Amino acid sequence: MATTDFADADSAGSLPVIRMLGIKREYRMGTRGAKRNEDSVVVRALRGIDFSAKAGEFVSVMGPSGSGKSTLMNILGCLDKPSAGTYNLDGVETSGSDSDTFAHIRNRKIGFVFQSFNLLARTTALENVELPLFYRRRIPGEKPLGAGERREMARAALEEVGLGRRTDHYPSQLSGGQQQRVAIARAIAGDPAFILADEPTGNLDSEMSLEIMALFGQLNARGKTIVMVTHEPELAVYTRRVVTLRDGMLVSDVEVRDGRDAAADLARRREELT
C-alpha cells in the first residue's frame, strides 16, 4: 500500500502545482480470453506528455476528438493512472498511489467542475456545496470539521460565486448558469490545489457561457489555479495559456498574451441586446 505524507505535501509551495513527465496511457483491446501479447491491439491514448502548471495559472486543454484530452483529464483528476511516467500534484507523487490515496487526493487537492453540473436535485445549493466537506478526508493531526464550520465554508463559497442570496434554492429553482455557479462553489469550498473543469459551458447558451468564463477569470485573478478542458477556441481565448493535443501528443503550448476579458465581453453583449 502506497503511503503519502499529506502534511508535508501541503507545505510544498515551491513546486509547480501540476508536474507531469513522460505520461503515457496504453489500452489493450482484444477478444475475451486473449493472451496479453497475442490477438490484442494496443491503443496508445497518450504518447509521452510533459505538462506542468504553476499556482495561479489558467490553462485550457484543447484538441480534436481522439486527441487524448479525456484521457489526460482523467489522469489529471486522479481518476486513472498512467501506464508510464510521473505525475506530481501539489507535492504528492500520484503515479504509484493506491485507490485510497487516490480518493484522498481527489477530495483534498482537486475541485471538479462538470459539464452536467452533477447537483443533487433534492438538496439546496448550500447543502450541495457542503456535501464534499462532510466527506472531507483529514490529514494527520487535523481536527474534523464541525457542522457549523462546514456550513460557513459552503456559504462563503456561494458568496464568492455571487449566489449568497440563493443558498436555500433547489437546482430546479436555478438557471443553468446559476447551477454551474453552485458546482463551482462546491469545487472551491475546500480550497483545492487546482480546479479541473471539463467542458464547463457545454450545457449553457452563449450568454451563460460568458458568465461562467467571467467567473473563472475572477477566481483566477484571486489566485485560483484552473485547468479547463474544452473544444471551443472562442472560450480558450479567455484563459492565459492554451495547450493543444493531437494523436496523444502535446503539439502546442502557447501563452495567451492578448487574451479577451469575458466580463467585458459579457457587459458589451448585454448592452447590445438592450
Side-chain angles (χ1 to χ4, degrees):
M1 176 177 178
T3 59
T4 303
D5 192 333
F6 284 91
D8 288 346
D10 285 343
S11 64
S14 60
L15 296 173
V17 173
I18 296 167
R19 184 173 59 184
M20 290 180 152
L21 295 174
I23 294 294
K24 297 181 180 180
R25 186 64 175 102
E26 298 180 351
Y27 303 94
R28 288 191 174 272
M29 312 292 288
T31 58
R32 185 185 298 271
K35 293 181 180 180
R36 180 171 178 81
N37 295 316
E38 299 178 4
D39 301 321
S40 62
V41 177
V42 177
V43 176
R44 294 178 173 85
L46 295 177
R47 300 169 180 260
I49 298 290
D50 292 341
F51 170 69
S52 64
K54 298 177 183 178
E57 283 203 90
F58 188 0
V59 185
S60 55
V61 178
M62 299 191 64
S65 178
S67 63
K69 292 194 311 294
S70 295
T71 303
L72 180 63
M73 186 200 71
N74 287 339
I75 294 175
L76 279 169
C78 291
L79 300 168
D80 192 14
K81 293 182 181 181
S83 304
T86 61
Y87 172 25
N88 189 289
L89 171 54
D90 197 32
V92 177
E93 178 51 53
T94 70
S95 306
S97 298
D98 57 26
S99 59
D100 188 62
T101 304
F102 253 28
H104 194 149
I105 292 169
R106 288 193 298 268
N107 183 263
R108 294 298 297 246
K109 300 286 187 182
I110 308 169
F112 293 92
V113 179
F114 303 98
Q115 177 177 335
S116 57
F117 317 143
N118 288 357
L119 301 179
L120 298 180
R122 298 185 180 182
T123 59
T124 65
L126 186 64
E127 291 166 337
N128 267 287
V129 175
E130 188 180 353
L131 188 61
L133 299 175
F134 181 82
Y135 293 105
R136 184 178 177 88
R137 295 183 172 223
R138 287 180 287 159
I139 60 176
E142 183 181 49
K143 295 181 180 179
L145 292 175
E149 190 175 2
R150 290 196 305 267
R151 184 59 53 97
E152 287 308 307
M153 289 173 68
R155 194 181 303 277
L158 284 167
E159 289 279 359
E160 191 166 2
V161 301
L163 289 179
R165 296 184 179 182
R166 298 287 190 274
T167 58
D168 295 328
H169 285 58
Y170 291 89
S172 62
Q173 298 172 312
L174 300 171
S175 69
Q178 289 172 332
Q179 289 184 59
Q180 192 62 295
R181 284 175 178 266
V182 174
I184 293 170
R186 180 181 59 196
I188 66 175
D191 192 25
F194 80 105
I195 299 168
L196 180 59
D198 178 23
E199 303 282 359
T201 65
N203 285 351
L204 304 176
D205 62 24
S206 297
E207 182 170 338
M208 288 185 178
S209 294
L210 278 175
E211 284 187 8
I212 295 304
M213 293 309 299
L215 175 57
F216 277 140
Q218 293 164 9
L219 294 173
N220 179 243
R222 297 171 196 159
K224 303 293 185 184
T225 307
I226 305 170
V227 176
M228 181 181 75
V229 178
T230 182
H231 66 277
E232 300 180 73
E234 60 268 28
L235 297 181
V237 298
Y238 297 116
T239 67
R240 301 292 174 260
R241 183 176 152 210
V242 180
V243 171
T244 304
L245 301 183
R246 187 177 297 275
D247 298 328
M249 296 179 288
L250 197 158
V251 297
S252 176
D253 187 345
V254 180
E255 182 180 350
V256 182
R257 297 186 180 276
D258 299 313
R260 300 179 66 90
D261 185 329
D265 284 355
L266 177 62
R268 189 180 304 111
R269 175 186 173 86
R270 286 175 171 169
E271 184 177 345
E272 291 172 351
L273 294 176
T274 57

